[in-house]
Amino acid sequence: RGEHPGGPIAAFAAVVGTMVAYFAAVVINFGDFSRFVKDEPAMRKGNFWGLPVSIALFSFIALFVTAGTVVLFGEKLVNPADIVARVDNTALTLIAAVTFFAATVGINLVANFIPPAYDIANLAPDRISARTGGLITAGIAFFIGALWVSFISNVGIAAFVDTLGAVLAPLYGILVADYYLVRRQNIDLNALFSADPKGPYYYEGGWNKKAIMAFVFAAVFSVATVWVPALANLSGFGWVIGAVLGGGFHVMLMRGAAGQTRAA
């Protein structure tokens, strides 16, 4: 597929950026999972075993198996299905099929089902439950699946993931910047769930237009890194760029908002 114009280090960083973009929805919706833990130590323990430890373990397994295919079959095979197809063993094929099914269901539940289900429910919590949000998410998923062969596969999975991450990245940057830099970790939890027009988070008609502007400005540039040839060297870094720009624009536009919130 050719070499990255920035060299091997830049290529590695671009791959890492694409992986971050893939899990962007989970990062933004971290609260949808952490709300179920008993306390903060339990959350930290789960994150430790579930993120760096598991990633290191499964990355080692992937590298070990891929290297083994070169020894056994004389060529590098990176697709697990291709590896199983080379082994003429019914029991192994059945075990692999169950494993692939469990892995596919597991990763899609965490990364592609729970976050949008909660988001859709939060659009109108009095009308849409988490269950209904899940059904709507499933319907949208079937629609996207129908476009996979005709559209997404032609665009390329890397470009699709990078674009999705570039759109979601400014949201992450805005959330983090708003909490740590604008609000200084000073949040009125009760007011967050209030529809009172005089509430500190009601903004203008229930919408924070400054945050929306920050999102649009950042998303346009971060998406451009994926599709504009002149910005090809930044491809793979769209998520990082979008998050930084989103947070930066939000801080600039929201100057003075934190003081108003504390005064309220």
Side-chain angles (χ1 to χ4, degrees):
R1 295 184 180 182
E3 297 182 356
H4 194 281
I9 296 179
F12 177 79
V15 172
V16 172
T18 298
M19 292 302 298
V20 172
Y22 181 78
F23 289 100
V26 181
V27 173
I28 294 175
N29 291 76
F30 181 75
D32 292 331
F33 302 94
S34 62
R35 69 170 69 178
F36 298 109
V37 300
K38 296 181 179 180
D39 49 37
E40 186 171 345
M43 180 182 69
R44 294 181 180 275
K45 181 179 179 180
N47 285 339
F48 174 74
W49 289 105
L51 295 175
V53 174
S54 65
I55 289 176
L57 174 62
F58 287 106
S59 296
F60 170 77
I61 293 175
L63 290 172
F64 185 81
V65 172
T66 301
T69 60
V70 177
V71 176
L72 293 176
F73 306 119
E75 60 179 310
K76 180 176 65 178
L77 300 176
V78 297
N79 188 339
D82 294 336
I83 298 175
V84 175
R86 295 293 187 91
V87 180
D88 187 16
N89 187 299
T90 304
L92 179 60
T93 302
L94 291 175
I95 294 174
V98 173
T99 303
F100 295 159
F101 175 78
T104 301
V105 172
I107 192 62
N108 278 282
L109 279 175
V110 174
N112 301 322
F113 182 79
I114 294 177
Y118 276 117
D119 289 340
I120 293 174
N122 289 335
L123 290 174
D126 56 332
R127 298 180 181 179
I128 304 176
S129 64
R131 181 175 180 272
T132 303
L135 293 175
I136 296 174
T137 299
I140 296 174
F142 278 112
F143 176 74
I144 295 177
L147 295 177
W148 187 264
V149 175
S150 61
F151 174 71
I152 298 177
S153 62
N154 292 326
V155 170
I157 185 62
F160 176 76
V161 171
D162 285 339
T163 301
L164 179 62
V167 173
L168 294 175
L171 296 177
Y172 174 81
I174 291 170
L175 289 172
V176 172
D178 188 78
Y179 180 68
Y180 286 103
L181 301 179
V182 177
R183 310 292 173 186
R184 302 293 182 181
Q185 304 183 50
N186 183 18
I187 296 293
D188 186 342
L189 294 179
N190 291 327
L192 282 175
F193 299 94
S194 173
D196 184 0
K198 297 181 180 180
Y201 308 113
Y202 191 77
Y203 301 109
E204 301 175 60
W207 296 90
N208 186 343
K209 294 183 179 180
K210 293 180 180 179
I212 294 175
M213 290 176 59
F215 165 74
V216 172
F217 293 155
V220 168
F221 186 82
S222 58
V223 171
T225 62
V226 182
W227 296 104
V228 177
L231 301 175
N233 288 339
L234 299 177
S235 179
F237 303 99
W239 192 92
V240 176
I241 293 173
V244 172
L245 289 179
F249 287 144
H250 183 70
V251 170
M252 288 189 294
L253 294 173
M254 289 292 290
R255 284 176 178 172
Q260 295 173 6
T261 300
R262 285 193 287 268

